[in-house]
Structures are given as structure tokens and as C-alpha cells.
Amino acid sequence: EVQLVESGGGLVQPGGSLRLSCTVSGFTFDDYTGGWFRQAPGKEREGVSCISNRDGSTVYADSVKGRFTIFFNDARNTVYLQMNNLKPEDTGVYYCTAGRGLNLDGRDFFWWGQGTQVTVSS
């Protein structure tokens, strides 16, 4: 059974940092792209970042470039999202996903976690 379980969300002040983790079972990221999407209240889901299983290439949304970093663990069963210099507009539910391709189009991803809440507020 395929499972993706996110952790690491929480409440943080502007300028702070969080590291999100997504541990998977039933597959590994040896064969799939890993990604993170988010959904803010009242807004559509948007792609945040993804990383290639083939060569480690990464893609970031313009809004997070220079602040967020995506990476795998050595075992390729966990994908992380290191988030620095967080802003209130980063608030939302963050979803881990796995799929094919290397872009932030949600249609290329077919396994999803349940999400973890990130709130950036003073």
C-alpha cells in the first residue's frame, strides 16, 4: 500500500524556519519525482517545489526561490522541504506528492499525502 506521511508543520513567526518531512512506504523516490504543493485558505493549490529522482534537478515556484530547499534522504524514502525566512503568505496546508516529470503541474503527480499545516504569524 502506498502511503505518504508529512510532518514538521506548525506555527512560526515571520523570518523563522521549518523543515517539512514526507516519509513514504510502498515505493521509493528511486523511481518517482518528489514534490511539495500548498493550499492557502480560499486559494487554489499551487506547486511549491519538486525534485527529480534521476539527477536531483529541482524546480521552485518564484515565490519561494532562495528561501526553500527540497532534497531527498540517502535511502530515497523521504523528501524534505527546508523553509527559511518564512513569510505570512507562506501559510497554508503543505502536501507531499510523488509522480513523473519535473514541473509544478499537479497533473503529473498521482500520490498525495494528507497534508501538514504551516502557519506564519506573529
Side-chain angles (χ1 to χ4, degrees), residues 5-94:
V5 179
E6 301 99 334
S7 62
L11 173 64
V12 63
Q13 292 186 341
S17 298
L18 285 174
R19 177 177 291 186
L20 304 183
S21 301
C22 172
T23 299
V24 305
S25 57
F27 73 100
T28 71
F29 288 109
D30 282 336
D31 302 312
Y32 300 94
T33 298
W36 289 92
F37 284 66
R38 67 186 180 189
Q39 187 165 20
K43 294 187 177 181
E44 293 187 355
R45 185 181 62 189
E46 63 173 350
V48 175
S49 182
C50 60
I51 180 169
S52 168
N53 58 296
R54 296 182 180 181
D55 61 6
S57 298
T58 56
V59 175
Y60 294 95
D62 288 344
S63 59
V64 307
K65 283 181 181 176
R67 300 189 297 122
F68 290 12
T69 304
I70 189 171
F71 57 100
F72 293 126
N73 69 342
D74 289 344
R76 291 288 184 98
N77 63 353
T78 301
V79 61
Y80 299 94
L81 186 68
Q82 177 66 42
M83 306 186 295
N84 298 329
N85 190 22
L86 282 160
K87 304 176 180 180
E89 51 263 43
D90 295 318
T91 294
V93 178
Y94 282 69

Side-chain angles (χ1 to χ4, degrees), residues 1 4 14 21 33 59 75 89 105 111 117:
E1 180 185 6
L4 297 83
S21 301
T33 298
V59 175
E89 51 263 43
D105 186 335
W111 292 323
Q117 176 70 44

